mmCIF file of all heavy atoms in Angstrom:
data_model
loop_
_atom_site.group_PDB
_atom_site.id
_atom_site.type_symbol
_atom_site.label_atom_id
_atom_site.label_comp_id
_atom_site.label_asym_id
_atom_site.label_seq_id
_atom_site.Cartn_x
_atom_site.Cartn_y
_atom_site.Cartn_z
ATOM 1 N N TYR B 674 34.426 -13.350 86.190
ATOM 2 C CA TYR B 674 33.209 -13.013 86.767
ATOM 3 C C TYR B 674 33.219 -11.607 87.338
ATOM 4 O O TYR B 674 34.302 -11.178 87.899
ATOM 5 C CB TYR B 674 32.589 -14.142 87.644
ATOM 6 C CG TYR B 674 33.482 -14.364 88.835
ATOM 7 C CD1 TYR B 674 33.248 -13.808 90.118
ATOM 8 C CD2 TYR B 674 34.583 -15.250 88.780
ATOM 9 C CE1 TYR B 674 34.022 -13.977 91.220
ATOM 10 C CE2 TYR B 674 35.301 -15.487 89.783
ATOM 11 C CZ TYR B 674 35.027 -14.852 91.062
ATOM 12 O OH TYR B 674 35.790 -15.144 92.138
ATOM 13 N N SER B 675 32.126 -10.951 87.488
ATOM 14 C CA SER B 675 32.120 -9.606 88.079
ATOM 15 C C SER B 675 31.658 -9.492 89.505
ATOM 16 O O SER B 675 32.056 -8.642 90.151
ATOM 17 C CB SER B 675 31.232 -8.738 87.183
ATOM 18 O OG SER B 675 29.900 -9.157 87.261
ATOM 19 N N ASN B 676 30.953 -10.444 89.940
ATOM 20 C CA ASN B 676 30.343 -10.451 91.329
ATOM 21 C C ASN B 676 31.411 -11.053 92.376
ATOM 22 O O ASN B 676 31.484 -12.277 92.425
ATOM 23 C CB ASN B 676 29.015 -11.234 91.495
ATOM 24 C CG ASN B 676 28.468 -11.105 92.819
ATOM 25 O OD1 ASN B 676 28.925 -10.437 93.700
ATOM 26 N ND2 ASN B 676 27.266 -11.782 92.924
ATOM 27 N N SER B 677 32.028 -10.175 93.024
ATOM 28 C CA SER B 677 33.100 -10.556 93.991
ATOM 29 C C SER B 677 32.569 -11.465 95.124
ATOM 30 O O SER B 677 33.262 -12.092 95.831
ATOM 31 C CB SER B 677 33.941 -9.413 94.523
ATOM 32 O OG SER B 677 33.021 -8.531 95.153
ATOM 33 N N ALA B 678 31.244 -11.286 95.308
ATOM 34 C CA ALA B 678 30.592 -12.042 96.407
ATOM 35 C C ALA B 678 30.283 -13.522 96.189
ATOM 36 O O ALA B 678 29.873 -14.253 97.034
ATOM 37 C CB ALA B 678 29.339 -11.260 96.950
ATOM 38 N N SER B 679 30.410 -13.868 94.938
ATOM 39 C CA SER B 679 30.104 -15.230 94.516
ATOM 40 C C SER B 679 30.915 -16.299 95.262
ATOM 41 O O SER B 679 32.217 -16.018 95.399
ATOM 42 C CB SER B 679 30.331 -15.440 92.997
ATOM 43 O OG SER B 679 29.412 -14.602 92.231
ATOM 44 N N GLN B 680 30.409 -17.292 95.723
ATOM 45 C CA GLN B 680 31.067 -18.291 96.522
ATOM 46 C C GLN B 680 31.341 -19.538 95.870
ATOM 47 O O GLN B 680 32.313 -20.244 96.126
ATOM 48 C CB GLN B 680 30.279 -18.561 97.838
ATOM 49 C CG GLN B 680 30.144 -17.374 98.741
ATOM 50 C CD GLN B 680 31.473 -16.887 99.210
ATOM 51 O OE1 GLN B 680 32.180 -17.645 99.827
ATOM 52 N NE2 GLN B 680 31.747 -15.592 99.105
ATOM 53 N N SER B 681 30.431 -19.974 94.976
ATOM 54 C CA SER B 681 30.580 -21.237 94.244
ATOM 55 C C SER B 681 30.444 -21.005 92.755
ATOM 56 O O SER B 681 29.829 -20.036 92.352
ATOM 57 C CB SER B 681 29.558 -22.221 94.796
ATOM 58 O OG SER B 681 28.277 -21.727 94.616
ATOM 59 N N PHE B 682 30.997 -21.963 91.986
ATOM 60 C CA PHE B 682 31.115 -21.763 90.617
ATOM 61 C C PHE B 682 30.953 -23.146 89.909
ATOM 62 O O PHE B 682 31.194 -24.150 90.592
ATOM 63 C CB PHE B 682 32.539 -21.144 90.201
ATOM 64 C CG PHE B 682 32.762 -19.847 90.987
ATOM 65 C CD1 PHE B 682 33.416 -19.977 92.147
ATOM 66 C CD2 PHE B 682 32.395 -18.645 90.434
ATOM 67 C CE1 PHE B 682 33.667 -18.802 92.973
ATOM 68 C CE2 PHE B 682 32.654 -17.552 91.175
ATOM 69 C CZ PHE B 682 33.249 -17.528 92.406
ATOM 70 N N PHE B 683 30.614 -23.123 88.688
ATOM 71 C CA PHE B 683 30.252 -24.445 87.967
ATOM 72 C C PHE B 683 30.826 -24.340 86.643
ATOM 73 O O PHE B 683 30.668 -23.349 85.933
ATOM 74 C CB PHE B 683 28.807 -24.715 88.020
ATOM 75 C CG PHE B 683 28.138 -24.691 89.348
ATOM 76 C CD1 PHE B 683 27.491 -23.542 89.889
ATOM 77 C CD2 PHE B 683 28.130 -25.748 90.178
ATOM 78 C CE1 PHE B 683 26.897 -23.512 91.024
ATOM 79 C CE2 PHE B 683 27.563 -25.708 91.517
ATOM 80 C CZ PHE B 683 26.906 -24.495 91.837
ATOM 81 N N TRP B 684 31.245 -25.434 86.183
ATOM 82 C CA TRP B 684 31.503 -25.714 84.695
ATOM 83 C C TRP B 684 30.517 -26.687 84.284
ATOM 84 O O TRP B 684 30.309 -27.848 84.800
ATOM 85 C CB TRP B 684 32.831 -26.241 84.489
ATOM 86 C CG TRP B 684 33.879 -25.213 84.498
ATOM 87 C CD1 TRP B 684 34.793 -24.942 85.520
ATOM 88 C CD2 TRP B 684 34.222 -24.184 83.506
ATOM 89 N NE1 TRP B 684 35.645 -23.863 85.205
ATOM 90 C CE2 TRP B 684 35.232 -23.500 83.935
ATOM 91 C CE3 TRP B 684 33.786 -24.003 82.214
ATOM 92 C CZ2 TRP B 684 35.909 -22.391 83.251
ATOM 93 C CZ3 TRP B 684 34.359 -22.900 81.486
ATOM 94 C CH2 TRP B 684 35.376 -22.171 81.969
ATOM 95 N N TYR B 685 29.733 -26.383 83.206
ATOM 96 C CA TYR B 685 28.826 -27.264 82.579
ATOM 97 C C TYR B 685 29.148 -27.616 81.199
ATOM 98 O O TYR B 685 29.866 -26.795 80.552
ATOM 99 C CB TYR B 685 27.350 -26.627 82.538
ATOM 100 C CG TYR B 685 26.538 -26.642 83.729
ATOM 101 C CD1 TYR B 685 26.731 -25.785 84.772
ATOM 102 C CD2 TYR B 685 25.537 -27.516 83.885
ATOM 103 C CE1 TYR B 685 25.915 -25.806 85.981
ATOM 104 C CE2 TYR B 685 24.636 -27.647 84.987
ATOM 105 C CZ TYR B 685 24.922 -26.735 86.007
ATOM 106 O OH TYR B 685 24.158 -26.737 87.198
ATOM 107 N N ARG B 686 28.799 -28.796 80.754
ATOM 108 C CA ARG B 686 29.100 -29.157 79.332
ATOM 109 C C ARG B 686 27.667 -29.220 78.699
ATOM 110 O O ARG B 686 26.753 -29.752 79.189
ATOM 111 C CB ARG B 686 29.787 -30.512 79.413
ATOM 112 C CG ARG B 686 29.921 -31.187 78.114
ATOM 113 C CD ARG B 686 30.089 -32.658 78.180
ATOM 114 N NE ARG B 686 30.050 -33.243 76.917
ATOM 115 C CZ ARG B 686 30.921 -33.997 76.256
ATOM 116 N NH1 ARG B 686 32.126 -34.140 76.868
ATOM 117 N NH2 ARG B 686 30.710 -34.388 75.083
ATOM 118 N N GLN B 687 27.735 -28.738 77.472
ATOM 119 C CA GLN B 687 26.534 -28.775 76.664
ATOM 120 C C GLN B 687 26.769 -29.308 75.252
ATOM 121 O O GLN B 687 27.591 -28.812 74.497
ATOM 122 C CB GLN B 687 25.791 -27.451 76.408
ATOM 123 C CG GLN B 687 24.398 -27.568 75.887
ATOM 124 C CD GLN B 687 23.635 -26.329 75.751
ATOM 125 O OE1 GLN B 687 24.332 -25.186 75.776
ATOM 126 N NE2 GLN B 687 22.371 -26.343 75.677
ATOM 127 N N ASP B 688 26.265 -30.548 74.923
ATOM 128 C CA ASP B 688 26.283 -31.024 73.610
ATOM 129 C C ASP B 688 25.320 -30.350 72.694
ATOM 130 O O ASP B 688 24.253 -29.913 73.219
ATOM 131 C CB ASP B 688 26.161 -32.621 73.637
ATOM 132 C CG ASP B 688 27.269 -33.194 74.383
ATOM 133 O OD1 ASP B 688 28.411 -33.278 73.743
ATOM 134 O OD2 ASP B 688 27.129 -33.697 75.467
ATOM 135 N N CYS B 689 25.606 -30.499 71.438
ATOM 136 C CA CYS B 689 24.662 -29.856 70.466
ATOM 137 C C CYS B 689 23.194 -30.297 70.733
ATOM 138 O O CYS B 689 22.928 -31.494 70.656
ATOM 139 C CB CYS B 689 25.169 -30.179 69.004
ATOM 140 S SG CYS B 689 24.197 -29.307 67.762
ATOM 141 N N ARG B 690 22.359 -29.296 70.808
ATOM 142 C CA ARG B 690 20.839 -29.512 70.826
ATOM 143 C C ARG B 690 20.455 -30.384 72.160
ATOM 144 O O ARG B 690 19.408 -31.052 72.147
ATOM 145 C CB ARG B 690 20.264 -30.185 69.579
ATOM 146 C CG ARG B 690 20.654 -29.426 68.347
ATOM 147 C CD ARG B 690 20.183 -30.205 67.010
ATOM 148 N NE ARG B 690 18.816 -30.123 66.898
ATOM 149 C CZ ARG B 690 18.215 -29.171 66.190
ATOM 150 N NH1 ARG B 690 18.868 -28.219 65.688
ATOM 151 N NH2 ARG B 690 16.870 -29.280 65.952
ATOM 152 N N LYS B 691 21.287 -30.298 73.160
ATOM 153 C CA LYS B 691 21.010 -30.980 74.424
ATOM 154 C C LYS B 691 21.040 -30.035 75.569
ATOM 155 O O LYS B 691 21.510 -28.812 75.388
ATOM 156 C CB LYS B 691 22.039 -32.126 74.690
ATOM 157 C CG LYS B 691 22.139 -33.128 73.629
ATOM 158 C CD LYS B 691 20.959 -34.115 73.667
ATOM 159 C CE LYS B 691 21.190 -35.274 72.719
ATOM 160 N NZ LYS B 691 20.126 -36.289 72.861
ATOM 161 N N GLU B 692 20.563 -30.448 76.778
ATOM 162 C CA GLU B 692 20.572 -29.628 77.894
ATOM 163 C C GLU B 692 21.986 -29.603 78.464
ATOM 164 O O GLU B 692 22.744 -30.579 78.262
ATOM 165 C CB GLU B 692 19.668 -30.044 78.877
ATOM 166 C CG GLU B 692 19.986 -31.273 79.759
ATOM 167 C CD GLU B 692 19.713 -32.617 79.050
ATOM 168 O OE1 GLU B 692 19.529 -32.593 77.818
ATOM 169 O OE2 GLU B 692 19.584 -33.631 79.780
#
Side-chain angles (χ1 to χ4, degrees):
Chain B
Y674 61 94
S675 61
N676 184 1
S677 60
S679 297
Q680 295 295 310
S681 55
F682 308 86
F683 305 96
W684 283 101
Y685 278 78
R686 170 200 169 121
Q687 186 176 27
D688 292 287
C689 188
R690 303 174 79 87
K691 300 282 189 182
E692 77 276 22

